[in-house]
Amino acid sequence: MASDDRWLERLRLELAWFTGQAMLRSRGAGAILRFRYVRPRRRGFQPLREHEITPQFLDRAIRALKRWNYDFLGMDEVCRRAVMLPEKRRFVALTFDGAGKDLITFAYPVLARHAVPFTIYVPTAFPDGVGEAWWLALEQVIARESRIDLMMGNKEQRFTVADKAGKQALFSHLESWLRSLPPADLSAAIADLCTRYRIDLAALSREASMDWEDLARLAGDPLVTIGSATVNYPMLANMKDAAALREMTMGKAVAESAFNREIRHFAYPFGDRASFRRSHVVMAEQAGFASAASTIPGIVEAEGRTNLRALPRISWDGRVRSLRMLRVLVSGAAFAPVRPTGSATSQT
């Protein structure tokens, strides 16, 4: 079913390109692109492949956006453009979630070569070496094993998978279940799985993440904006409000202490509609953030019509590899006008 949906989405975007909608029906002030992984292609079972692009494709995308005369903006300028009258030139902002090691290894050389601004949203437990990249542990277990046993709730469950399609389906099923759990339950469930199958979650998480030295190097670049993504990168919707607000404020405080600068911008962990609630939009303002980005698809409207603390982003990843589709997406022609979450605010 998911593959059918992706095929239909590709067809819709291709039709929009060939009918000229990207050039004739552009709307909004600009678009925020969200990247998760930028790295060379790998072999073997890779359930997260749809969330990655290669450095070569990042280079092609930036070159194309320059040809199309987009302004590349940091998040401070995005906030300003979002509350002003529309400008003649549209903008694009490049944002990266998770502070993964692949960013400084593979993406940063491309970004620096093009001298374009970009924003990194950092969950501070990961450069501290105590974050849990549970999705990577789940990937390793399923890649290695053909039979997997684990506790789901109060019941022992057993899964047998023999081929790639079965492994992908199991990963999607277990990832969805884990994301539905409160943070303490998720941590206990993944610890049980890692113990059973001898996965060193701490080492795996540290290896995949930038450390503070890496981040200090990036923070020294005037084109880089450092944002926050909480401390532990939890699903805020699975937490009590007080705990969620603490994650947001502590992530900001730790980053400000580490970089000796104000941290003005935030990204909701995971960022889809199931991962945060309207109350978290209010919390983002209470925590002192000028903006908060989701992963809900859409474009940024001008004149204060987009809530700065519920910013839409276009996830640009391995599911869509066509520059034609990118042009349709950033034009806004593919998105119907949506009502902002909460009240749009001009405070920056």
Side-chain angles (χ1 to χ4, degrees):
M1 183 65 71
S3 61
D4 290 343
D5 291 342
R6 287 196 292 271
W7 184 85
L8 290 172
E9 177 66 7
R10 289 177 65 90
L11 178 61
R12 185 175 72 88
L13 294 173
E14 291 282 4
L15 287 173
W17 163 263
F18 284 113
T19 57
Q21 291 183 42
M23 282 65 76
L24 299 176
R25 293 177 52 193
S26 62
R27 46 178 293 271
I32 305 172
L33 294 180
R34 180 248 191 176
F35 301 90
R36 186 167 173 185
Y37 301 112
V38 180
R39 57 195 179 195
R41 288 198 178 126
R42 302 169 299 153
R43 295 182 178 179
F45 174 64
Q46 296 170 54
L48 299 173
R49 178 180 286 173
E50 68 177 23
H51 298 296
E52 65 182 53
I53 61 170
T54 65
Q56 292 77 16
F57 195 77
L58 176 62
D59 179 78
R60 289 180 58 207
I62 293 173
R63 290 178 186 275
L65 289 162
K66 287 181 173 180
R67 287 198 307 272
W68 303 332
N69 294 318
Y70 275 78
D71 290 335
F72 288 80
L73 304 184
M75 288 306 297
D76 284 333
E77 184 64 11
V78 168
C79 291
R80 191 190 72 81
R81 290 270 191 110
V83 300
M84 304 294 289
L85 292 172
E87 297 196 12
K88 184 175 181 180
R89 285 169 62 105
R90 296 171 59 78
F91 73 78
V92 66
L94 310 181
T95 65
F96 295 81
D97 285 2
K101 194 77 172 180
D102 64 289
L103 171 57
I104 196 165
T105 304
F106 301 114
Y108 184 54
V110 177
L111 297 160
R113 185 167 64 248
H114 283 285
V116 292
F118 63 96
T119 299
I120 313 163
Y121 294 111
V122 179
T124 56
F126 288 81
D128 272 338
V130 295
E132 293 185 345
W134 56 264
W135 49 91
L136 299 181
L138 181 64
E139 178 185 40
Q140 278 206 6
V141 170
I142 296 177
R144 266 184 4 199
E145 307 294 333
S146 59
R147 190 180 73 181
I148 295 169
D149 302 329
L150 76 161
M151 291 293 295
M152 298 183 71
N154 296 318
K155 186 176 180 182
E156 181 88 6
Q157 299 280 3
R158 174 172 295 176
F159 301 92
T160 301
V161 285
D163 56 21
K164 185 177 177 180
K167 287 177 178 286
Q168 182 66 58
L170 179 59
F171 180 89
S172 298
H173 173 66
L174 294 181
E175 181 194 37
S176 178
W177 170 67
L178 287 164
R179 284 184 52 170
S180 73
L181 300 176
D185 293 346
L186 190 158
S187 186
I190 204 68
D192 172 58
L193 190 67
C194 289
T195 299
R196 291 176 188 235
Y197 296 100
R198 298 183 180 180
I199 299 291
D200 187 338
L201 178 59
L204 181 65
S205 301
R206 284 194 298 269
E207 182 182 357
S209 302
M210 285 190 281
D211 57 25
W212 289 115
E213 185 176 344
D214 294 326
L215 288 164
R217 176 187 166 196
L218 294 176
D221 186 332
L223 291 175
V224 177
T225 298
I226 303 292
S228 173
T230 71
V231 177
N232 297 294
Y233 210 71
M235 291 276 288
L236 295 175
N238 296 338
M239 307 178 73
K240 293 182 178 179
D241 283 351
L245 180 59
R246 186 164 55 250
E247 275 281 346
M248 296 166 76
T249 56
M250 284 299 295
K252 186 177 193 293
V254 172
E256 287 180 339
S257 176
F259 299 112
N260 195 29
R261 68 180 66 172
E262 182 184 9
I263 301 297
R264 291 170 43 80
H265 305 287
F266 177 74
Y268 300 103
F270 301 98
D272 55 24
R273 294 183 188 278
S275 66
F276 72 102
R277 299 186 296 268
R278 185 181 294 265
S279 61
H280 301 120
V281 177
V282 177
M283 289 180 201
E285 183 170 8
Q286 292 174 343
F289 291 111
S291 77
S294 72
T295 60
I296 298 170
I299 48 88
V300 178
E301 303 278 2
E303 300 180 277
R305 292 193 297 270
T306 296
N307 189 336
L308 294 181
R309 295 174 185 88
L311 288 171
R313 286 191 292 169
I314 298 168
S315 292
W316 186 243
D317 52 37
R319 290 171 292 184
V320 182
R321 299 182 185 275
S322 163
L323 292 180
R324 294 195 299 265
M325 291 187 225
L326 175 62
R327 190 162 194 182
V328 172
L329 289 169
V330 297
S331 76
F335 304 110
V338 294
R339 200 171 186 177
T341 303
S343 58
T345 177
S346 62
Q347 182 180 352
T348 60

